[in-house]
Amino acid sequence: MSPSSPPGGTVPAVHTHCPYCALQCGTILSEQDGAVTVEPSDFPVNQGALCRKGWTAPALLDAPDRLRHPLVRRADGVLHPASWDEALDTVADRIRALQAAHGRDAVAVFGGGGLTNEKAYLLGKFARVAMGTSLIDYNGRFCMSAAAVAGTAAFGTDRGLPFPVTDLGGAEAVLLAGANIAETMPPLLRHLDRAELIVVDPRRSRTADRAKLHLSPRPGTDLALALGLLHAAVTEGLCDDSYIAERTGGFDAAWRHAAAWWPERAEEVSGVPARRQREAVRILARARHAYVLTGRGAEQHSKGADTVAAYINLALALGLPGRAGSGYGCLTGQGNGQGGREHGQKADQLPGYRRIDDPDARAHVAAVWGVDPRSLPGPGRPAVELLQSLGTAQGPRGLLVFGSNPAVSAPHSALVGERLAAADLLVVADFVPSETTQLADVVLPVAQWAEEEGTMTNLEGRLLRRRALRPPPPGVRTDLEVLRDLAVRLGQPPGRFPVEPREVFDELRRASRGGPADYSGISHRRLDAQETLHWPCPADGHPGTPRLFLDRFAHPDGRARFAPVEHRDAAESPSARYPLIATTGRTLAHYQSGAQTRRVPELNAAAPEPVLEIHPDTAARAQLADGMLARISSARGSAVARVRTVDSLRADTVFLPFHFPGAYRANLITNPAADPRSGMPEFKVAAVRVEPATGWT
């Protein structure tokens, strides 16, 4: 039994949380005669509800192709079963050889937003201490990085929702910019039953169907639309002038840019009628309690940070952030997308949301780790740059992947696949085979959600306990054990890399103390006592901070910052060769790259293949009809999907889900052009053409 297994093996039932999105819905797991069942708990976020993925999550635990022993690629080019000693010795020997030949940055690390806080923390420590590499980033770069940059600039710190989810239940108006929560976070909808919804989405999504007002911008023009909304707020006298004067700075500079974006001009660019822009602002302004919430649709652009900043500007102009019952928030996507970006997986951060180039931060964390601050590497490369440089003369020669499937999830995935295949060493730790494990030199089987202890941080900054129902299968280890065993082989003392989650978390608490994301007053003990604790929580006995910014923002002067932003075009525009715009997103049945949900029979039956949503007139011009297979091509490659005509879709836009492998990968066509501020790639805009997929059935 692994050190983090439940004492005595399987326990009758545990209160834990769903393994998927950042809502982290409360669940009760039980097992009888080998069959695991799940029931929702009355946790505040989900209030006794689960989505389809949550209800079917136990099916993944016993997936027929579950990874149960290490695999090593031998001279015949085939992955063969191996012992743990052989697999780990192989990895350590090859890391040492690559670093001896090419320097410490010869091997990189790529993490995931689904890792527990303990695993994310220890992974960052492993990269910087045991390997000494600066090159570590994670798939959260593709999800929340733009909002994190914009939120930090505006408020002084970044927490997805700086208020509890339950506060949304009192909202009278909510603007959702690029968030289709009816499919991505269905239980969240019950908190919005009272609110008038304004949904910004180029598609008439399931969420837009519930809205009072649907604004359908041309993909890539959200920033122009947000500037038009701010212009309407100012010129119609809807701003909260006293709030702006007392609690913010930089309004005049932001207004100098927005002043040129009257709603009629924003309409010319975005296609959203000026009258609807004004109506949206009036709905928000007349509400006593209102929120502006952004999601991936606003963020996944080469100007994503500026786009989010423009929506924050609107919220600030209306006096919403830092006011009880109102506010701005980012709907964090991945299960531990919040905690995962706070404790050292990002290229530029140390635990506690500290900057890695801050001398004081380096000194504090190095003291906790027992190393010289000068030994810690500096900032690394963001995910797109890291992956595209893999196996080149300018990039790392090896990569260790924990909890991610970049062969499907990264933009321009054909190129990323080539780079993964070209690496001298690719190591993947996962619990099911994925498109990335198929390219690996070494595959390490690790425990999954119902087999491990730890903590998660949901989208509202609330710390949660993940509890194990049963131990991992024989032959499977935890990520913490893998990191310890590799670190020891790389010359680290065993005690520097603990494997007990409580011990790791206690060290994380010390490392985060005094940082923006201060967990030092939170403990497994307090969480097990069912205390409700949101960070920052700087001392044992501190009640935590469910609502940030009520008295002051986190900048030294206590004021929030408006951002002067200007609309610019997407990285590529439609042309005669590629006349349409493709945008990507999630569907109700699947999650992320689909490696997990495609193994759940019920979910796979509900959505067995990708569907291309396209307007009937656009389909007819391309000689396509419902049920046909279409080829969608961009300058980077082609993907295949089944046609579904949708009357409500913009005629210039097509939509693809990104959960499918092989020729069905939406990311074969997406643009890796990255936001210069956040490193976020432009998943939401790709110039494409569509045509029948000849030779496919």
Side-chain angles (χ1 to χ4, degrees):
M1 185 180 302
S2 70
S4 52
S5 300
T10 301
V11 295
V14 294
H15 285 255
T16 187
H17 295 270
C18 178
Y20 293 115
C21 82
L23 277 183
Q24 286 294 287
C25 294
T27 60
I28 304 170
L29 291 182
S30 58
E31 183 170 8
Q32 186 171 5
D33 299 327
V36 177
T37 58
V38 62
E39 295 289 336
S41 65
D42 192 24
F43 184 62
V45 165
N46 56 307
Q47 297 177 338
L50 288 176
C51 76
R52 195 173 198 174
K53 292 186 287 292
W55 279 112
T56 58
L60 189 63
L61 294 170
D62 297 308
D65 60 348
R66 173 77 187 268
L67 294 170
R68 295 175 181 273
H69 45 70
L71 302 171
V72 173
R73 195 176 300 277
R74 300 217 168 98
D76 60 2
V78 176
L79 286 169
H80 291 275
S83 69
W84 273 102
D85 281 341
E86 180 189 356
L88 294 172
D89 288 345
T90 298
V91 174
D93 289 347
R94 294 179 70 175
I95 289 174
R96 278 194 295 266
L98 287 171
Q99 291 186 325
H102 305 288
R104 287 290 191 175
D105 283 350
V107 186
V109 176
F110 196 76
L115 301 179
T116 64
N117 288 316
E118 291 81 1
K119 292 192 290 188
Y121 168 81
L122 208 67
L123 185 63
K125 180 181 178 181
F126 172 82
R128 289 164 174 131
V129 174
M131 290 177 56
T133 181
S134 72
L135 298 182
I136 176 171
D137 210 44
Y138 81 130
N139 64 13
R141 181 71 65 176
F142 303 152
C143 296
M144 287 79 60
S145 59
V149 166
T152 300
F155 307 124
T157 194
D158 158 52
R159 199 175 86 187
L161 297 186
F163 48 81
V165 164
T166 49
D167 282 5
L168 294 172
E172 296 174 0
V174 175
L175 185 147
L176 292 167
N180 179 19
I181 59 175
E183 295 196 70
T184 60
M185 295 179 168
L188 184 59
L189 279 173
R190 59 180 48 211
H191 297 282
L192 302 177
D193 285 342
R194 294 183 54 213
E196 291 185 313
L197 293 184
I198 305 158
V199 173
V200 181
D201 195 322
R203 302 165 64 216
R204 185 150 186 96
S205 64
R206 295 190 188 192
T207 308
D209 283 340
R210 299 172 61 114
K212 177 180 179 64
L213 189 62
H214 174 212
L215 309 182
S216 177
R218 184 172 182 262
T221 64
D222 298 74
L223 180 47
L225 173 59
L227 289 165
L229 295 174
L230 179 58
H231 192 288
V234 174
T235 57
E236 298 209 358
L238 300 175
C239 295
D240 188 331
D241 294 331
S242 62
Y243 173 97
I244 292 171
E246 295 168 7
R247 301 206 60 192
T248 74
F251 172 79
D252 290 343
W255 172 239
R256 280 195 292 272
H257 289 268
W261 285 93
W262 54 93
E264 286 76 13
R265 184 188 178 196
E267 176 180 349
E268 291 178 2
V269 173
S270 69
V272 176
R275 60 178 175 80
R276 286 179 169 261
Q277 297 177 48
R278 292 188 173 97
E279 182 183 357
V281 175
R282 290 174 191 143
I283 290 171
L284 288 171
R286 71 175 179 235
R288 290 174 302 171
H289 302 294
Y291 293 86
V292 173
L293 305 176
T294 59
R296 307 298 83 74
E299 299 161 27
Q300 290 179 326
H301 298 273
S302 58
K303 53 182 180 292
D306 285 354
T307 301
V308 176
Y311 280 110
I312 293 175
N313 286 349
L314 174 64
L316 289 171
L318 297 175
L320 305 182
R323 197 178 88 202
S326 295
Y328 161 79
C330 159
L331 295 173
T332 301
Q334 294 189 74
N336 200 31
Q338 185 68 55
R341 69 181 184 262
E342 294 168 357
H343 295 300
Q345 285 190 98
K346 284 184 76 173
D348 56 352
Q349 288 180 191
L350 289 170
Y353 226 136
R354 288 179 160 92
R355 291 187 57 85
I356 198 169
D357 57 1
D358 177 352
D360 290 339
R362 294 169 63 86
H364 173 85
V365 173
V368 174
W369 288 350
V371 299
D372 187 331
R374 293 170 296 181
S375 70
L376 297 179
R381 302 180 186 181
V384 172
E385 183 181 343
L386 173 62
L387 292 171
Q388 291 192 351
S389 67
L390 181 63
T392 70
Q394 296 74 37
R397 306 301 180 94
L399 181 69
L400 277 61
V401 179
F402 286 77
S404 189
N405 186 17
V408 173
S409 64
H412 197 354
S413 59
L415 175 61
V416 170
E418 291 174 4
R419 301 272 43 90
L420 291 169
D424 294 330
L425 173 66
L426 178 61
V427 180
V428 182
D430 212 330
F431 52 84
V432 292
S434 71
E435 292 67 34
T436 305
T437 67
Q438 293 171 12
L439 300 170
D441 298 292
V442 180
V443 178
L444 304 174
V446 292
Q448 57 172 306
W449 61 289
E451 302 162 352
E452 63 181 8
E453 296 285 323
T455 61
M456 307 285 277
T457 307
N458 76 347
L459 78 172
E460 56 186 359
R462 176 170 172 165
L463 272 289
L464 309 170
R465 278 283 279 117
R466 173 175 280 185
R467 296 181 176 88
L469 175 70
R470 63 187 191 185
V476 171
R477 296 187 182 181
T478 69
D479 296 83
L480 300 180
E481 290 174 313
V482 170
L483 292 171
R484 188 272 315 273
D485 292 345
L486 282 175
V488 170
R489 284 170 167 80
L490 293 173
Q492 293 293 311
R496 184 169 284 166
F497 287 85
V499 298
E500 286 288 352
R502 286 174 185 261
E503 188 176 349
V504 177
F505 190 77
D506 284 343
E507 183 179 305
L508 179 160
R509 294 167 59 199
R510 297 194 300 275
S512 75
R513 181 175 290 121
D518 190 335
Y519 285 28
S520 59
I522 303 172
S523 64
H524 280 215
R525 173 186 57 78
R526 294 186 71 185
L527 296 174
D528 287 341
Q530 300 185 339
E531 291 191 54
T532 299
L533 299 170
H534 300 72
W535 70 260
C537 183
D540 192 13
H542 188 283
T545 314
R547 294 171 185 85
L548 295 173
F549 314 138
L550 294 181
D551 299 317
R552 65 191 317 275
F553 293 96
H555 289 297
D557 63 1
R559 291 174 174 263
R561 305 281 194 267
F562 280 88
V565 294
E566 181 61 69
H567 174 72
R568 58 187 184 272
D569 290 337
E572 66 182 12
S573 300
S575 62
R577 181 170 176 78
Y578 301 112
L580 301 173
I581 302 170
T583 191
T584 66
R586 281 173 50 186
T587 60
L588 179 62
H590 289 299
Y591 182 72
Q592 299 299 87
S593 72
Q596 298 174 60
T597 50
R598 285 185 276 110
R599 287 179 164 80
V600 177
E602 180 180 326
L603 299 178
N604 200 48
E609 61 183 357
V611 170
L612 173 73
E613 293 187 5
I614 185 171
H615 191 277
D617 294 345
T618 309
R621 286 194 294 272
Q623 300 182 316
L624 292 168
D626 280 298
M628 291 179 62
L629 279 173
R631 184 181 305 279
I632 309 96
S633 301
S634 74
R636 290 158 294 281
S638 298
V640 176
R642 188 78 59 185
V643 171
R644 178 191 294 154
T645 58
V646 178
D647 291 341
S648 62
L649 192 65
R650 294 179 56 97
D652 59 2
T653 299
V654 298
F655 170 81
L656 274 172
F658 53 63
H659 312 292
F660 298 90
Y664 299 113
R665 280 176 290 169
N667 282 320
L668 289 167
I669 66 168
T670 51
N671 193 345
D675 175 13
R677 295 178 62 197
S678 67
M680 172 71 80
E682 191 146 71
F683 288 107
K684 298 303 185 190
V685 182
V688 300
R689 68 173 183 271
V690 295
E691 59 199 340
T694 56
W696 288 75
T697 57

